[in-house]
Amino acid sequence: MAAASTPAPVIKKKPFSWQNLAIGAAIQTFEVSTLGQPFEVVKTHMAAHRGDNLAMAIKKTYQRGGLRGFWQGLIPWAWIEASTKGGVLLFASSELEYHARAKFGLSPAWAGLVGGCGGGLAQAYTTMGFCTFMKTVEVTRHKAAGTANLSTWAVAADVFRREGIRGLNKGVSAVAVRQMTNWGSRLGISRFTEKIMKGDDTKRKLTVPERIASAVIGGALACWNQPIEVIRVEMQSQAKAADRPQNLNIWSTAKYIYARNGVRGFYRGVTPRIGLSVYLTVCMVFGGDQIKAYFAEKSKKDE
């Protein structure tokens, strides 16, 4: 007599939660206000000025604005972006992970990849386009003659006056590709790492060090897409060069970077980006899960 097959676990849909949106916004704002923005500033500087190494980028950033220089673009653009994109990511990725597992039977790792890609795409086209553009402007515009003393709002108004909404969203296609591959990789690799750590005992809860380690691995390995990040920065950069083509798209920007800097040019800024990615992933994947679990447990006790 054949043994009865074990029924597949029922995947329950997580209810919509304004609390989760607020948690996402709070975590991202905390992340960018602490180590996130310094990593972002140095990474952007190196991607825009590909002749500078890490030490030069840090030195020039400090010369430009002292310690405050490492938080250029934080207020208001990074705060606007952080307070919105975290909620967008958690909501969109959670919905997509559920449908990927419940309706299409994907594993947690593949569902994480799908959820991350969709969440990243939603981020790019809802809140990140103009914020990322303006953050890059703040880091690179000191090279542009006549704009150094303008306020960030004046620069944004000037861009809008000259180029409209499309000007403020310059490079959004590259942002979308970056965010899709970023969060698809971060969530997918993190979930896959968790699966390896659990081994045969799939129901075992991971320890705190194991969950942090899986987030660190996911964040670091997600930086394989550094070329698209360098392309994104170049598309949005205000640094001037005589041979820089007008009306850049992803392909023409890639050709320009390769002609000037070769293959190595696509990996400028990867070191601070790994630091940023690890820190962000620990905050969002580990921190987000921990905080959501805390509030879920608290609500059970209150019932």
Side-chain angles (χ1 to χ4, degrees), residues 58-133:
I58 293 172
K59 181 180 178 181
K60 289 183 178 181
T61 299
Y62 184 79
Q63 289 175 338
R64 186 168 64 239
L67 286 177
R68 293 180 63 185
F70 292 95
W71 278 269
Q72 272 187 309
L74 176 66
I75 303 171
W77 311 113
W79 275 6
I80 294 173
E81 180 181 287
S83 63
T84 52
K85 73 175 183 179
V88 170
L89 174 69
L90 287 182
F91 174 71
S93 63
S94 293
E95 286 292 304
L96 289 169
E97 278 194 67
Y98 163 73
H99 288 292
R101 294 192 66 191
K103 296 188 178 180
F104 297 98
L106 297 185
S107 69
W110 281 106
L113 187 148
V114 170
C117 285
L121 189 67
Q123 282 182 323
Y125 285 106
T126 53
T127 64
M128 286 191 67
F130 74 93
C131 288
T132 300
F133 171 70

Side-chain angles (χ1 to χ4, degrees), residues 16-36:
F16 176 81
S17 172
W18 287 106
Q19 179 177 279
N20 283 350
L21 295 186
I23 289 170
I27 293 172
Q28 290 261 222
T29 304
F30 167 81
E31 176 271 333
V32 76
S33 299
T34 51
L35 294 179

Side-chain angles (χ1 to χ4, degrees), residues 16-276:
F16 176 81
S17 172
W18 287 106
Q19 179 177 279
N20 283 350
L21 295 186
I23 289 170
I27 293 172
Q28 290 261 222
T29 304
F30 167 81
E31 176 271 333
V32 76
S33 299
T34 51
L35 294 179
Q37 192 64 9
F39 278 129
E40 177 74 25
V41 168
V42 174
K43 177 253 299 183
T44 300
H45 177 100
M46 293 179 69
H49 306 286
R50 291 177 292 278
D52 291 354
N53 59 27
L54 180 59
M56 292 171 65
I58 293 172
K59 181 180 178 181
K60 289 183 178 181
T61 299
Y62 184 79
Q63 289 175 338
R64 186 168 64 239
L67 286 177
R68 293 180 63 185
F70 292 95
W71 278 269
Q72 272 187 309
L74 176 66
I75 303 171
W77 311 113
W79 275 6
I80 294 173
E81 180 181 287
S83 63
T84 52
K85 73 175 183 179
V88 170
L89 174 69
L90 287 182
F91 174 71
S93 63
S94 293
E95 286 292 304
L96 289 169
E97 278 194 67
Y98 163 73
H99 288 292
R101 294 192 66 191
K103 296 188 178 180
F104 297 98
L106 297 185
S107 69
W110 281 106
L113 187 148
V114 170
C117 285
L121 189 67
Q123 282 182 323
Y125 285 106
T126 53
T127 64
M128 286 191 67
F130 74 93
C131 288
T132 300
F133 171 70
M134 286 307 304
K135 286 195 302 178
T136 305
V137 167
E138 286 304 297
V139 177
T140 60
R141 71 182 173 111
H142 65 285
K143 295 289 184 180
T147 65
N149 296 321
L150 292 178
S151 72
T152 188
W153 293 107
V155 173
D158 181 59
V159 172
F160 181 75
R161 188 164 47 250
R162 289 185 288 108
E163 303 176 59
I165 293 294
R166 291 185 64 181
L168 287 175
N169 281 278
K170 191 179 296 180
V172 69
S173 57
V175 174
V177 174
R178 185 196 70 175
Q179 289 305 106
M180 285 179 64
T181 51
N182 269 359
W183 284 108
S185 299
R186 284 169 180 163
L187 291 178
I189 294 171
S190 295
R191 301 305 185 208
F192 183 71
T193 305
E194 289 175 0
K195 178 183 177 182
I196 293 175
M197 289 180 174
K198 287 181 179 179
D200 296 331
D201 188 1
T202 56
K203 295 183 179 179
R204 179 178 73 87
K205 287 188 176 182
L206 295 178
T207 64
V208 170
E210 286 175 330
R211 299 190 71 176
I212 293 176
S214 66
V216 167
I217 291 169
L221 294 184
C223 291
W224 64 266
N225 68 352
Q226 180 65 11
I228 192 63
E229 171 64 1
V230 175
I231 290 170
R232 190 275 303 171
V233 171
E234 186 61 47
M235 290 177 72
Q236 297 181 331
S237 175
Q238 299 300 292
K240 304 299 182 183
D243 60 341
R244 189 168 185 252
Q246 298 294 317
N247 302 318
L248 291 170
N249 56 38
I250 292 177
W251 178 243
S252 63
T253 306
K255 288 173 64 178
Y256 170 67
I257 292 170
Y258 181 77
R260 293 196 73 190
N261 307 103
V263 173
R264 292 182 64 183
F266 290 101
Y267 292 89
R268 301 302 295 167
V270 71
T271 301
R273 183 161 181 246
I274 288 174
L276 172 62

